[in-house]
């Protein structure tokens, strides 16, 4: 079975930082798109960032550009999302997901991702 384990969420003050991790088991990052999505209470799920495991190409939502950085360690089947200068509007449950390489495109389409992690809560206080 393929499992994605997301971790690293927590409670931080505005301006703080967190690093989320997403580790896959039962799956090898080979020509894979790995995306981060988030869902705030009462809002639809939105794409945050994605990365290609083959060429490292990345995409970001405008709202996080310059603050978030996505990276991958293919040897560890792990993707990271470094989140700096966090804002209260970043508060959400963050999910990682895996899709075919074609899914590494903007805007992110969540229906193109077929394995999902359980989510990790990020709360930013003002």
């Amino acid at each position: 079975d393929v499992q994605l384990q997301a971790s690293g969420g927590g409670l931080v003050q505005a301006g703080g930082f967190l690093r989320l991790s997403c580790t896959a088991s039962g799956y090898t990052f080979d020509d894979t798109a790995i995306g981060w999505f988030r869902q705030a209470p009462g809002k639809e799920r939105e794409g945050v960032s994605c990365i290609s495991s083959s060429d490292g190409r990345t995409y970001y939502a405008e709202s996080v550009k310059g603050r978030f950085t996505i990276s991958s360690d293919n040897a560890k089947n792990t993707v990271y999302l470094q989140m700096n200068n966090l804002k209260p509007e970043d508060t959400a449950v963050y999910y990682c997901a895996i899709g075919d390489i074609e899914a590494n495109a903007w805007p992110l389409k969540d229906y193109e991702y077929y394995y999902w992690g359980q989510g990790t809560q990020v709360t930013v206080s003002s």
Side-chain angles (χ1 to χ4, degrees):
D1 287 353
V2 177
Q3 291 189 341
L4 297 181
Q5 181 68 43
S7 61
L11 171 63
V12 296
Q13 291 186 334
F17 64 91
L18 287 171
R19 189 175 82 153
L20 305 184
S21 299
C22 174
T23 300
S25 58
Y27 194 92
T28 300
F29 285 178
D30 185 16
D31 287 339
T32 299
I34 307 97
W36 284 100
F37 299 78
R38 66 186 181 186
Q39 187 166 21
K43 295 187 177 181
E44 293 186 356
R45 185 166 56 195
E46 63 174 350
V48 176
S49 182
C50 58
I51 187 169
S52 162
S53 69
S54 58
D55 63 11
R57 182 170 296 186
T58 61
Y59 296 90
Y60 296 93
E62 284 296 326
S63 60
V64 306
K65 278 183 180 178
R67 300 188 298 122
F68 290 12
T69 302
I70 190 170
S71 61
S72 68
D73 184 336
N74 291 349
K76 296 182 178 179
N77 288 334
T78 298
V79 170
Y80 305 97
L81 186 68
Q82 179 69 39
M83 307 187 296
N84 297 330
N85 189 23
L86 282 161
K87 303 176 180 181
E89 51 264 42
D90 295 319
T91 295
V93 178
Y94 283 71
Y95 300 90
C96 60
I98 287 174
D100 289 335
I101 193 65
E102 292 79 14
N104 192 59
W106 202 264
L108 282 180
K109 300 178 181 66
D110 56 5
Y111 57 82
E112 292 184 338
Y113 288 77
Y114 38 77
Y115 294 121
W116 290 79
Q118 83 286 5
T120 184
Q121 176 71 47
V122 172
T123 303
V124 185
S125 63
S126 57

